[in-house]
Structures are given as structure tokens and as C-alpha cells.
Amino acid sequence: GAVVSQHPSRVICKSGTSVKIECRSLDFQATTMFWYRQFPKQSLMLMATSNEGSKATYEQGVEKDKFLINHASLTLSTLTVTSAHPEDSSFYICSAVTGMGGYTFGSGTRLTVV
Amino acid sequence: DAKTTQPPSMDCAEGRAANLPCNHSTISGNEYVYWYRQIHSQGPQYIIHGLKNNETNEMASLIITEDRKSSTLILPHATLRDTAVYYCIVSGTGANSKLTFGKGITLSVRP
């Protein structure tokens, strides 16, 4: 089946630094990918929609200059959290449209900013 | 905002069927009902989806009412590994259709 690989699974970074999270579709081409954020005991919140070769579409309230999304190929989308602060600590999850009417998710990245 | 409502939690005994309800009274004619589940600290796992007919796969069955305003996910023989948060989501299937997650229902399977 369609598999999405997300890396890293965990990352700890210092406040003020940037962190890049990668999301790869392994056995299919993903024209569209989605990025979510999940805080403890809460549901997934959609941050942005990423389309290959074009600018990402951000949900209301999500800072596009802070959360940089690049979808330069049909199998890779990246999310860069710039100038990370402790309040950015969260569980980040990517998802891709599989082309069969379904959505498959990565395993998530636990970001801790210290 | 999520277009679905689910009870916050339920439990069932191991080996018994778990019936998880979902209301989606504002569903549009071209929108599907999706079910995903999330085990702690993992990405959501696809379970099943359907438009108007009942669906069954190796994991579960999806029963959609005739008016499509509600549905039930059935796990026929729940195991302890089925303990998770289950999300019922309504969405289209276009390339930019997105899944909006509600709070989901926490299913606890007891021994």
C-alpha cells in the first residue's frame, strides 16, 4: 500500500534554531501533501496544504514565515520550523493524497524545543 | 470546524464487537465518510471509508444510514491493540480535499 516516510521521528533543538522535517512518499507520487500539528491530549490541527511545484496554502493563524514548506518534487515535502521556541514543541504529522481517494499519514515527528 | 460529532469515549470487552457511532448531518452529496485511528504518539492509521453503501474490509465494517447523516464503525472482535482514538471525518476526494479532524472517540478495550 501507499507508504509515507517521515523523518526524524524525534528531535530536540535549542530555542532560536531551525528544524527541518521531511516527508517522503515511498511508492507513489504525491502531488498534494498536508502538514498537521498535534498538542498533547488534543486532536490534529491542519497547518498547511502543500502542492508540488507551487506555494503552500496555510490555514488561518499559521505563520507562513515561521513554518516554511517546500514541495519541490512529487515524492518529497519538507516543513522547516524557523527560529523555534518552546511553544513550538509539538507532534508534527504529514499526510499525502494517494491518488486512490485515500490519505496516508507519516509516523510523526516529536519536536521539543529547549 | 469538524463536520462530525462523536461521543468522547466508550469501552468494550476484548473479543466483543465495538460499535463506534458518528453523526454527520451536514454531509454533502459528494463527500465520503472516512475513519482513522491514532494510537498514542503515532500517525493516524486508515481504517475504512465509504460514500453511501456499507463497506467491509479486513479491519472493520462501515455502516452508513440511508440518509447519510450518521454512520457506525464496527470492529467485529475488539482486541487490546484496538485501544486508540478513532476519528470519523467527512471529506471530498478532490486533490485538495483535506481531512479536518474533530476530537474523535477514545475506545478502551478491557481484558
Side-chain angles (χ1 to χ4, degrees):
Chain A
V3 176
V4 168
S5 175
Q6 185 172 345
H7 291 280
S9 57
R10 291 179 177 274
V11 58
I12 300 173
C13 71
K14 291 185 177 180
S15 187
T17 63
S18 296
V19 173
K20 180 184 284 188
I21 302 169
E22 291 189 350
C23 183
R24 293 181 184 275
S25 57
L26 297 187
D27 48 4
F28 67 101
Q29 293 184 331
T31 305
T32 303
M33 289 188 176
F34 304 94
W35 287 95
Y36 293 82
R37 179 170 53 180
Q38 185 176 33
F39 292 108
K41 299 190 185 301
Q42 295 187 22
S43 186
L44 284 76
M45 284 177 28
L46 180 66
M47 300 175 66
T49 301
S50 165
N51 289 300
E52 186 268 335
S54 63
K55 290 184 178 180
T57 302
Y58 291 81
E59 296 298 303
Q60 190 173 7
V62 178
E63 301 174 58
K64 61 181 181 181
D65 294 329
K66 181 169 184 61
F67 299 100
L68 301 180
I69 292 173
N70 184 284
H71 194 159
S73 78
L74 286 172
T75 59
L76 175 64
S77 177
T78 61
L79 168 67
T80 301
V81 182
T82 63
S83 186
H85 291 285
E87 57 266 30
D88 298 322
S89 298
S90 189
F91 191 53
Y92 292 86
I93 309 167
C94 67
S95 170
V97 179
T98 63
M100 297 180 291
Y103 305 77
T104 191
F105 287 79
S107 54
T109 298
R110 175 76 57 194
L111 170 63
T112 302
V113 184
V114 298
Chain B
D1 291 336
K3 298 181 181 179
T4 64
T5 55
Q6 302 174 255
S9 64
M10 69 176 292
D11 62 24
C12 76
E14 189 176 20
R16 305 298 293 268
N19 297 315
L20 286 67
C22 180
N23 287 322
H24 32 80
S25 59
T26 61
I27 190 170
S28 299
N30 62 347
E31 289 182 317
Y32 285 71
V33 179
Y34 291 85
W35 282 85
Y36 283 79
R37 72 181 182 184
Q38 186 180 26
I39 296 170
H40 183 63
S41 294
Q42 297 183 23
Q45 177 190 21
Y46 169 81
I47 301 174
I48 200 167
H49 75 287
L51 184 61
K52 54 183 178 181
N53 296 325
N54 297 337
E55 302 287 345
T56 295
N57 62 22
E58 64 278 5
M59 289 183 69
S61 293
L62 174 61
I63 309 298
I64 303 174
T65 57
E66 193 168 340
D67 63 8
R68 302 211 319 128
K69 292 185 178 182
S70 65
S71 60
T72 301
L73 178 74
I74 301 172
L75 307 179
H77 305 287
T79 70
L80 298 179
R81 287 176 298 195
D82 291 323
T83 293
V85 179
Y86 287 76
Y87 296 98
C88 168
I89 304 167
V90 165
S91 180
T93 58
N96 283 320
S97 294
K98 48 194 177 184
L99 296 183
T100 300
F101 285 75
K103 296 181 179 179
I105 178 172
T106 300
L107 172 67
S108 300
V109 180
R110 60 180 188 276

